Amino acid sequence: MDYLTGFGRPLGTTAPRAAFGTDAPRLSLNGTWRFRLAPSVAEAAAGFWAPDFDDTGWAELPVPSSWPMHGFGRPAYTNVVYPFPVDPPHVPTDNPTGDHRLVFDVPAGFAGLGARLRFDGVDSCGRVWLNGVELGVTQGSRLPAEFDVTAALRPGGANVLAVRVHQWSAGSYLEDQDMWWLPGIFRDVTLLARPAGGVDDVFVQAGYEPDGRGRLRVEGPADAVVSIPELGLDRLPAGTAHDAGPVEPWTAETPRLYELVVATATETATLRIGFRTVAVTGGILTVNGRRIVLRGVNRHEFHPELGRVVPPDVVRAELELMKRHHVNAIRTSHYPPHPAVLDLCDELGFWVIDECDYETHGFEPVGWRGNPSDDPRFAEACVDRMRRMVERDKNHPSVIMWSLGNEAGVGANLGRMADWARERDPGRPLHYEGDRSCAHVDVYSRMYAGHAEVDAIGRGEGQVPHLPFILCEYAHAMGNGPGGLAEYDELFDRHPRCQGGFVWEWLDHGIRRPEGDYAYGGDFGEPLHDGNFVIDGLVFPDRTPSPGLTELAAVYAPVRLNVGAGEVTVRSRYVFRSLAGAELRWSVTVDGGPGAEGSVPLPVVAAGEMVVVALNHDMADKPGSGAADSSGSEAWLTVHTVAPDGLVLGSGQVQLRAAAPVPGVPAGAGPRRDGGVIRLGAAEFEPVHGTLTRLGSLALRGPVLDVWRAPIDNDRLGHDPVAARWRAAGLHRMTHRLLGLELGPDALVVATRVAPAAADRALLAWYTWRTLGDAVELTVRVEPAGDWDVPLPRLGVHLELPADLGAVAWFGAGPGEAYPDSRTAALTGRYESTVDDLTTPYVYPQENGNRADAHWLTLTGPDGHGLRVEAAPRIDFTARRWSTAALDAARHRSELVAEDRIHLHLDHAHHGLGSAACGPGVLPQYELRPEPATFTVTLRAF
């Protein structure tokens, strides 16, 4: 049996150990290497590992890298299925094989020392030679592999490193994660000096006791001594438990780190440690004795131009972005991240579930036959992967749970992995979602359970384990969405056992295209792929936040405000951190315009506590009921809790005063026919369809009833896609028939029947037009007729306007897009934007950009002319430069071409978003059922 079919076992590697820094010499081998790609092993260069091999004709390739991202081969994406036959341990004969060579000089300081060669990540399998000496084989793509190179190394001279990397190996059967298949040496390569008697490995166990004292035990070399200068601990013996005295505990909210020094006579290691204790007590997951809630995300490692290689500055920026959006937990889906990521998690503060590089989801379509999880031939590889993760990451306080892997079915090998981890590290609970029996784990984990089921689990109904409940994946963030976040979060607050979850997922895995947009599955000609299912993140591929992340931040916010007219109830959802130094910043706006504002220092609010704070402003005596008064203006009080660093920790609003009803304007002259048009005040209509064609000097077209939206991913994917039912019902091809035009004494009434071909269901719509001074008022009444068994995508009207009306202002919810089940982040105010900026650039084009609950809006051209829309009382709107049909037809952003007009949608209601692409659909209260409806808008040209 050759190494490619050796059931995923590495060969020749040294024992796994923790990742940490020491004062021993080290040499990075990252840089430009020589590279040659062959379509199969048989066609790879013979003898390329020889030091005198001539590679002058080879290409150059950066290491680390994913070679398809540099023009060698092509990326491929699958979610579940393997892109090769399910025939373990065999792999295809056509197995892309990349030969890598590097000539490098080793400093003379390495002489007399041992040496190891460390690979932090090779996908999927690497055979390694140094100076012509074969060292062994790496397996486990996202796990470190070290080789003892003491005998082969040539200190003080040139050395030749050769690595043959295969895209497919038996280990590929263990790495069927939902992501691009991207081979290469994609993490650091490092030469490490290993002095005799040095610090080869360290295991720090730093617990936090209820009395506020730390306990410390450091496993390491027998003669090692341990110091924490800040705590006055100096040269304590390793291998013994010590009382560290009073310490500040580490938590994700208060990530307090101490510098630990472990020294022998020949080497000194330095680590940053945190004191914390993780336990499951009475069915509750606790840290330092307190229940925690995981408000988390699943994080893959991906870059739109570099593939699996993510530069350190990008990693720091994205984790800081998570913190600014109140994410407190990360599941490292579905493999251990680059080791530096966990250093940042320790520093910035995240609860981390560290997941093993193990998934066999592709066996599910074949009935789990031959699944490695229950195949004894793969037992050694499975345990090896668990061992290497635990040993590498065991010193990180941020890691509070180990995960056995993801979507790997059930089987004895999972038990073997769990048994090894428990024996090695009893201080951390174990996680795995794929076995409902929870035989090997300490938490009950599920994916995509709906709200009702989570509620039932929280109440203890049914046969569920008495364990902490965690949604390891929920709220699938694909495209526009997810909806229903606030309802999930309320369940986490309500039920002690429901301890949060991890949104799927953080990042869209789009690959940048020359067209300026992003590729997804199928764009590289893959015969088997899962389309844009890889585009399912809270941030776009360039890590720009999507509206979903803005919504998540508002839902995850650690402070809840209940705002009254003269006081605010402040409730902290922190578990460990107080609100010391925070303040309340408030403002009163009248009709959306600026008014009074101020700030109030918060008293020190302890974690989990509540306080009532008085506000002193001109309307503090108002009841906060939104009642109108004689002033006629609408007033709102907005309050933000702001941390000392300026981060908003929570927001709230109350309507102090509603707008008084606008005094009735006497109706102007009634409609009249004038040649081939109908005139009503400043409005002009064409008589064939009864649609408005001009308002004052403004040429336009519409409005006409519209119920179609370009389906979002959550509409068109999942087990019972609502978009398929919409299309089957013909909602994307509605036709309009004029039933009648009534020219009354003071109103024009246009009656229409809106229906799809081949069906007898319809929507009857009456448009009633009246003049109001220089404006026209439109009341739309809609009644469904026939058998309606599907919800509507939207209910509103569509107008076409001149293309130059590109400046937008509105008084309503904002500033970002909002939909019925995703609008926690939207606050009432006056906002300005442009038609172009109202559009959300989802990688896969779909419905987007809705602004909710507008009292009024204007679209204005460069010369100051435009259209004002006033709602009675509110309307949703979108404005974009292409039609819904064009948006529906597009598959990439570059296919959307600006038209010579603006498409304005004024919507009475929208169907919710949900997360049905992978999870529950729209909650019943957010479904848009066909029911009688009436709404009114006033249009005025200026």
Side-chain angles (χ1 to χ4, degrees), residues 873-942:
R874 297 176 181 85
I875 203 80
D876 287 9
F877 77 94
T878 60
R880 55 177 71 103
R881 296 191 181 276
W882 37 78
S883 67
T884 297
L887 187 61
D888 189 4
R891 296 297 175 262
H892 295 87
R893 288 282 303 170
S894 59
E895 298 169 26
L896 293 170
V897 179
E899 300 176 11
D900 61 352
R901 68 202 71 184
I902 290 170
H903 294 268
L904 175 65
H905 293 265
L906 303 174
D907 289 314
H908 173 67
H910 254 278
H911 190 64
L913 304 177
S915 58
C918 189
V922 174
L923 287 167
Q925 62 266 37
Y926 302 121
E927 292 182 344
L928 180 53
R929 291 295 172 184
E931 296 174 345
T934 301
F935 56 96
T936 299
V937 293
T938 300
L939 309 179
R940 176 180 287 107
F942 60 86

Side-chain angles (χ1 to χ4, degrees), residues 20 194-203 218-226 236-240 262-267 269:
F20 55 89
R194 299 303 316 126
V199 184
D200 277 342
D201 196 12
V202 171
F203 187 4
V218 179
E219 296 178 11
D223 60 343
V225 292
V226 177
L236 302 176
T240 302
V262 182
T264 66
T266 59
E267 188 176 19

Side-chain angles (χ1 to χ4, degrees), residues 319-337:
L319 266 61
E320 290 176 344
L321 185 65
M322 290 181 191
K323 292 294 288 188
R324 290 198 299 273
H325 288 80
H326 308 306
V327 173
N328 72 1
I330 295 172
R331 177 179 176 229
T332 68
S333 52
H334 299 293
Y335 44 82

Side-chain angles (χ1 to χ4, degrees), residues 803 805-808 833-839 859 879-881 902-903:
L805 303 187
V808 184
S833 186
T834 66
V835 169
D836 296 329
D837 289 343
L838 288 178
T839 297
L859 291 93
R880 55 177 71 103
R881 296 191 181 276
I902 290 170
H903 294 268

Side-chain angles (χ1 to χ4, degrees), residues 17 20-29 107 110 118 120 188 190-193:
R17 62 197 186 103
F20 55 89
T22 80
D23 60 356
R26 59 190 296 132
L27 178 66
S28 172
L29 301 183
F110 276 74
R118 181 181 181 95
D120 279 309
D188 304 298
T190 311
L191 182 66
L192 303 169

Side-chain angles (χ1 to χ4, degrees), residues 600-671:
V600 179
L602 268 181
V604 176
V605 182
E609 296 297 317
M610 186 167 60
V611 67
V612 178
V613 179
L615 297 181
N616 183 20
H617 57 84
D618 291 343
M619 298 184 186
D621 59 342
K622 300 296 179 184
S625 64
D629 67 11
S630 60
S631 71
S633 56
E634 180 171 340
W636 285 80
L637 171 63
T638 304
V639 184
H640 304 287
T641 308
V642 183
D645 63 359
L647 180 65
V648 175
L649 303 178
S651 301
Q653 278 190 314
V654 67
Q655 187 181 38
L656 299 175
R657 184 176 62 217
V662 178
V665 177

Side-chain angles (χ1 to χ4, degrees), residues 809-883:
W810 75 98
F811 176 38
E817 71 178 31
Y819 290 83
D821 54 354
S822 178
R823 57 157 304 156
T824 305
L827 298 176
T828 297
R830 187 187 188 284
Y831 302 99
E832 295 182 357
S833 186
T834 66
V835 169
D836 296 329
D837 289 343
L838 288 178
T839 297
T840 302
Y842 292 111
V843 172
Y844 188 100
Q846 57 198 274
E847 162 63 31
N848 69 87
N850 186 66
R851 266 55 179 185
D853 289 346
H855 298 248
W856 58 258
L857 64 124
T858 61
L859 291 93
T860 308
D863 62 357
H865 82 291
L867 176 70
R868 179 181 176 93
V869 180
E870 297 175 0
R874 297 176 181 85
I875 203 80
D876 287 9
F877 77 94
T878 60
R880 55 177 71 103
R881 296 191 181 276
W882 37 78
S883 67

